[in-house]
Amino acid sequence: MQANEKAVDGGLLPDANGKDPNPGGATEGSKWQRPRLSRRSLMKCCLVKWIIASTSPQGPDSSDSDLELSMVRHQPEGLDQLQAQTQFTRKELQSLYRGFKNECPSGLVDEETFKTIYSQFFPQGDATTYAHFLFNAFDMDRNGSIRFEDFVLGLSVLLRGSVTEKLRWAFNLYDINKDGYITKEEMLAIMTSIYDMMGRYTLPSVRDDSPFEHVEKFFQKMDRNRDGVVTLDEFIETCQKDENIMASMQLFENVI
């Protein structure tokens, strides 16, 4: 029973293979260290792979990239401004924009595109619901489409943001109705969608009750005043003090 409890002991996300996010990892008294994000790690991100795959080998130079920004229906902010707002280099932004423009000539990406992306990267499961939740987290304006600015701002936080920035983004993902609280129902919906996306044939196999167990552990740790909801402060404070949860933050790259 103890081994099962460890498997659901409270990482924010399960491993993409259904494994314990911290097997033989940090001990109770050890200090969690933020992993360094290499280019190889960056390319594990589904959204980045989708974009880069659409980039032509011989794209335009930097001056052409700026010119192209004014040739789409939605005109993004200039690359200099986006570079100042994100942790991406100008060259990385140019590559991301070329791929984004190739896939979305209008300059906007819709929810159906997200569903297509994740169904391609997770063919063993049903990614429809998770793609819906993830799209809503990126759709800052709540207007049913994602601008290039919103896209790269979100990726910057997820891939290169500070611990607090990543936790705020995670809270926004789990807070489905955006009322400032996370309920058990919301957390269960997100966790179930992740397990569904991973598929029933992951190794080791994922039990049907795993999402529920995961959420129960989550709320035992985070709902400090036992009022049935988790606030942003409770979320951030508990995550930063919990080694298992903090170690699991790097697993965002497995399902983003």
Side-chain angles (χ1 to χ4, degrees):
M1 184 64 183
Q2 186 176 359
N4 288 339
E5 288 180 356
K6 182 179 179 182
V8 295
D9 190 37
L12 287 175
L13 294 172
D15 192 319
N17 293 317
K19 298 179 180 179
D20 180 359
N22 189 30
T27 58
E28 185 68 23
S30 63
K31 182 178 180 181
W32 179 85
Q33 295 182 346
R34 179 182 171 190
R36 296 181 60 186
L37 184 70
S38 63
R39 179 173 177 81
R40 182 178 179 182
S41 296
L42 179 66
M43 287 304 297
K44 290 181 181 179
C45 172
C46 297
L47 294 177
V48 172
K49 286 191 288 188
W50 166 68
I51 286 295
I52 298 301
S54 301
T55 306
S56 57
Q58 296 181 340
D61 59 25
S62 60
S63 59
D64 289 338
S65 294
D66 282 324
L67 177 62
E68 287 176 347
L69 294 179
S70 62
M71 296 176 64
V72 294
R73 191 177 70 195
H74 171 74
Q75 181 177 345
E77 299 166 355
L79 292 181
D80 288 336
Q81 187 171 350
L82 286 176
Q83 184 178 353
Q85 293 176 327
T86 68
Q87 299 296 320
F88 293 123
T89 65
R90 184 180 180 85
K91 185 176 181 179
E92 288 171 333
L93 286 170
Q94 289 168 359
S95 295
L96 289 170
Y97 181 70
R98 290 177 194 136
F100 190 92
K101 181 176 67 69
N102 287 341
E103 288 291 338
C104 309
S106 68
L108 301 168
V109 60
D110 58 21
E111 184 175 328
E112 288 304 313
T113 301
F114 259 52
K115 292 178 179 178
T116 299
I117 295 170
Y118 283 88
S119 66
Q120 292 173 349
F121 284 105
F122 295 90
Q124 74 276 18
D126 182 359
T128 302
T129 304
Y130 177 74
H132 167 74
F133 291 140
L134 189 64
F135 179 87
N136 286 342
F138 273 91
D139 184 13
M140 304 300 293
D141 298 331
R142 308 283 179 257
N143 60 4
S145 60
I146 299 173
R147 307 172 301 160
F148 179 69
E149 302 98 306
D150 293 335
F151 183 77
V152 295
L153 286 172
L155 283 183
S156 178
V157 169
L158 288 168
L159 299 175
R160 293 177 179 170
S162 67
V163 170
T164 300
E165 287 172 336
K166 289 183 178 182
L167 290 175
R168 287 182 179 273
W169 199 96
F171 183 90
N172 178 58
L173 172 66
Y174 293 129
D175 180 17
I176 296 175
N177 65 1
K178 312 307 175 191
D179 65 350
Y181 302 95
I182 299 176
T183 65
K184 281 188 178 182
E185 290 75 18
E186 287 175 321
M187 173 57 66
L188 183 59
I190 296 291
M191 290 305 306
T192 300
S193 72
I194 294 174
Y195 277 87
D196 287 344
M197 180 174 66
M198 291 176 183
R200 298 298 179 184
Y201 303 103
T202 54
L203 294 174
S205 61
V206 177
R207 304 190 313 277
D208 289 339
D209 58 350
S210 291
F212 178 79
E213 292 180 9
H214 199 106
V215 171
E216 287 296 316
K217 291 287 185 181
F218 177 89
F219 266 81
Q220 286 178 15
K221 293 181 177 182
M222 294 199 173
D223 186 11
R224 300 288 184 84
N225 60 1
R226 300 293 183 260
D227 62 352
V229 296
V230 173
T231 65
L232 177 61
D233 289 340
E234 287 176 323
F235 185 85
I236 292 178
E237 182 180 355
T238 307
C239 285
Q240 290 181 332
K241 292 180 179 179
D242 190 284
E243 295 291 340
N244 288 327
I245 293 177
M246 291 308 299
S248 77
M249 287 304 298
Q250 61 190 291
L251 297 177
F252 266 115
E253 66 187 47
N254 289 335
V255 290
I256 297 297

